[in-house]
Amino acid sequence: MPQGSRTRQKTPLSSEIVLPPPFTLVTLREVGDAFAHAKSIAREGGAGTLVYVGRFDLCEFAVVLEPDEPLRHARRSFYAGMGALADAIVALGPPNVPVEIAWPDAVLINGGLVGGGRLGWPEGAREDDIPEWIVFGGMIRTISMSNEEAGLSPMVTALEEEGFTDVTATELVASFARHLMVATDAWQEYGFVSVARDYLARLPAEKGIRRDIDDSGDLLVRRMGKMDAERRKLAPLLATPSWYDPQTRGPKL
């Protein structure tokens, strides 16, 4: 595992990352794995440790969180991370570009897969115990490395193809950190309902249904005219992110 350095240094993708004070930056070389490294140093680094990998074609990062509730409830922090990631993209992108989340973990721009988020916690942690840490990892495709022309594969895309021509990976990470702080503050002041509302607003619209997130992070889908809700469990899906290709270590093509 490449060693991280707690420095605010230049990255291959332009400017220095400027993070809000609660965060501590750890940078890795291009061959690094932000998610794996963040989990490996989470106990030592503590809350706010943000690991960034300077890759040419991707914005890759992971942040350490320290929950104050049992694991079965703490997984809901995943929704705060996903909402912050989507909001960070919107804040930096062209106006009126649709940014959506395919439940639970994939980020879509104009319907094309651009990346997503994932969540990790200590191996062996019990559902009713407070975990020492949780790690949220994000990855967004900034430039397409495919030989196909832009638009020929509508199910996948990259920021550059969607008009984010002047946006760098470092700017996106900094934007994510700011939006995560906003989500965290809202959770503390208004409860998880504020995080859930913002996340659910990013899901593709469907007529005749109502969606909620329960205390364990499961998605509850209620259809018009039916009393019972369909439960879609979150925890099993976090084990295998829908958008991630482990062979290429990037979003699926």
Side-chain angles (χ1 to χ4, degrees):
M1 184 73 64
Q3 295 298 311
S5 58
R6 294 176 180 275
T7 58
R8 298 195 171 188
Q9 59 190 39
K10 297 277 184 179
T11 71
L13 292 180
S14 104
S15 59
E16 171 182 8
I17 302 179
V18 180
L19 298 177
F23 293 92
T24 301
L25 180 64
V26 175
T27 58
L28 302 179
R29 294 182 181 275
E30 187 172 353
V31 295
D33 184 322
F35 188 64
H37 190 74
K39 290 191 294 182
S40 72
I41 66 171
R43 186 174 184 181
E44 172 192 355
T49 300
L50 192 150
V51 180
Y52 169 76
V53 176
R55 296 178 63 174
F56 176 74
D57 57 331
L58 295 173
C59 172
E60 179 184 352
F61 65 91
V63 63
V64 178
L65 309 173
E66 290 183 355
D68 58 2
E69 55 188 1
L71 178 58
R72 68 172 67 254
H73 304 311
R75 286 193 189 95
R76 294 180 300 170
S77 59
F78 178 71
Y79 293 114
M82 288 297 296
L85 182 56
D87 288 346
I89 294 172
V90 171
L92 296 174
N96 303 319
V97 173
V99 178
E100 297 178 316
I101 297 173
W103 190 83
D105 60 357
V107 177
L108 311 177
I109 299 182
N110 276 321
L113 177 67
V114 74
R118 45 185 172 164
L119 197 74
W121 53 87
E123 186 175 354
R126 299 195 301 181
E127 292 290 303
D128 293 326
D129 291 342
I130 298 176
E132 289 186 289
W133 51 264
I134 276 182
V135 168
F136 175 84
M139 187 179 291
I140 297 295
R141 185 165 30 228
T142 54
I143 298 173
S144 176
M145 301 299 286
S146 170
N147 292 327
E148 294 185 0
E149 294 183 15
L152 293 183
S153 298
M155 301 305 293
V156 298
T157 190
L159 294 186
E160 185 182 54
E161 293 181 6
E162 300 298 335
F164 293 70
T165 52
D166 297 325
V167 176
T168 66
T170 54
E171 289 172 330
L172 184 55
V173 171
S175 182
F176 165 81
R178 293 191 296 271
H179 282 92
L180 183 61
M181 287 184 62
V182 171
T184 301
D185 290 343
W187 190 342
Q188 292 175 344
E189 184 170 356
Y190 304 111
F192 176 73
V193 63
S194 63
V195 173
R197 180 182 62 247
D198 292 345
Y199 173 90
L200 292 171
R202 292 286 179 198
L203 299 183
E206 292 185 50
K207 292 184 178 180
I209 69 167
R210 172 185 168 182
R211 292 177 287 213
D212 298 288
I213 299 172
D214 73 0
D215 289 344
S216 61
D218 295 344
L219 182 69
L220 303 179
V221 180
R222 293 179 173 87
R223 301 188 181 278
M224 187 179 298
K226 294 187 176 181
M227 296 292 293
D228 296 333
E230 174 191 351
R231 178 180 296 274
R232 300 178 184 176
K233 290 187 174 295
L234 173 66
L237 297 182
L238 293 177
T240 308
S242 66
W243 56 271
Y244 183 71
D245 185 343
Q247 293 187 335
T248 62
R249 287 185 48 241
K252 292 178 179 178
L253 295 173

